[in-house]
Amino acid sequence: MYNRILVADGMNRDQIENLKDLGFDVIDKYYDGEELGLMCQDVDALVIRSKNTITKEIIDKALEGNARLKLIIRSGVGLDNIDVKYATKNGIKVMNTPCASTRSVAELTIGQIITIARFVNIANVTMRDGEWNKKQYIGTEIFGKTLGIIGLGRIGKEVAKLATALGMKVMYYDILGKMEGYNKYQFCSFEEVLANADFLTIHIPYDPAKGYLITEKEFDMMKQGVYFVNNARGALVCERDLINALDAGKIEAVAMDVYETEPKVNLELVNHPMVSPTPHIGASTVEAQDRISREIVDMLVEYFQDDERIAL
């Protein structure tokens, strides 16, 4: 029997064909809920993206009978849509593709910073409504402004590099402390970054045990009129407090690609005139998806490399 892979979401067509050429038996179809668990009873590995949520119940269903499922690969960075602890406890390895989308997310972040600094999002909307609000949309240059970055990991470092090239000053906070080799960026405490950033962006994973990173308390610490970007995880920011900060003028404008609930989002937030929303497209570039898919192929080959049933 060949190693059977269920690609429910997250791979491009060329790399699915590549898997087949390597000798894998590939099922390329979206399933969810109990039906997904049922399908996983007869596969060795599962590939998902963000549409699926792998719960305890799905894992239990998958493990009924022969308990064949041994590997779950998340196409992307975050693992918050998988019950990793329960999967691991039941002998299922969970992996992700943390590097492939770095550049794409970083470029989106820089694009969003420029967008909200120059009213690009709302000016586009009002132009389509027949309005000519030239005098109303007086923006600000990002050159010489301070960008505060919470989390100087792979994406944070790429954002810092691009922002520096555009003339921004970069200050950052990271839970791991000051980063060796990045002395051109100013390491500060979390509170100092909040208090001094003209533009603020967060690039850290979500920890359910800690909950929100940004609430009313943190918004109060920020500079008046700060521009705020969240492309990390929606659950890091209390959306109710964010709306209040926007209405009070504490936050000048917001760009966000992630939300507390997806795909059903807070319409009051996304329809706010000073919010530039996108539907979780950080990794949605041709280049990133190709890199992600190639990385998944490499993971599957490496995991099953001792199995004579694949043609290496």
Side-chain angles (χ1 to χ4, degrees), residues 3-13 15-17 19-20 24-33 36-37 39-54 58 62 69-79 81-82 92-97 288-301 303-304:
N3 292 118
R4 179 172 291 173
I5 314 300
L6 172 57
V7 180
D9 191 20
M11 290 191 71
N12 64 32
R13 173 57 51 188
Q15 294 308 315
I16 288 175
E17 292 303 316
L19 281 177
K20 293 178 181 179
F24 288 97
D25 180 10
V26 181
I27 303 170
D28 176 23
K29 187 175 180 181
Y30 178 76
Y31 295 96
D32 201 7
L36 176 62
M39 288 299 300
C40 285
Q41 292 178 8
D42 196 34
V43 300
D44 301 291
L46 168 67
V47 178
I48 65 165
R49 196 176 175 186
S50 55
K51 287 171 66 176
N52 295 107
T53 299
I54 308 302
I58 290 177
L69 182 65
K70 296 299 179 185
L71 176 65
I72 299 174
I73 298 178
R74 162 70 160 87
S75 173
V77 179
L79 291 171
N81 60 328
I82 303 173
I92 301 172
K93 186 177 181 64
V94 179
M95 303 176 73
N96 64 349
T97 57
Q289 290 307 303
D290 183 61
R291 288 191 295 265
I292 288 170
S293 295
R294 290 176 183 273
E295 192 171 344
I296 290 171
V297 170
D298 291 342
M299 288 177 177
L300 289 167
V301 169
Y303 186 84
F304 292 110

Side-chain angles (χ1 to χ4, degrees), residues 52-109:
N52 295 107
T53 299
I54 308 302
T55 62
K56 175 182 181 295
E57 290 72 24
I58 290 177
I59 294 170
D60 285 340
K61 177 60 69 174
L63 294 178
E64 289 179 3
N66 295 326
R68 184 172 173 178
L69 182 65
K70 296 299 179 185
L71 176 65
I72 299 174
I73 298 178
R74 162 70 160 87
S75 173
V77 179
L79 291 171
D80 47 301
N81 60 328
I82 303 173
D83 192 332
V84 177
K85 183 181 291 187
Y86 192 71
T88 303
K89 177 183 175 181
N90 283 277
I92 301 172
K93 186 177 181 64
V94 179
M95 303 176 73
N96 64 349
T97 57
C99 302
S101 59
T102 297
R103 179 72 186 197
S104 292
V105 176
E107 287 188 3
L108 177 64
T109 301

Side-chain angles (χ1 to χ4, degrees), residues 1 6 16-17 30 43 53 63 69 73 159 164 204 210 223 226 246 264 282 284:
M1 188 190 307
L6 172 57
I16 288 175
E17 292 303 316
Y30 178 76
V43 300
T53 299
L63 294 178
L69 182 65
I73 298 178
V159 170
T164 301
I204 66 171
K210 295 181 179 179
K223 181 184 288 189
V226 66
L246 278 164
K264 187 176 182 180
S284 296

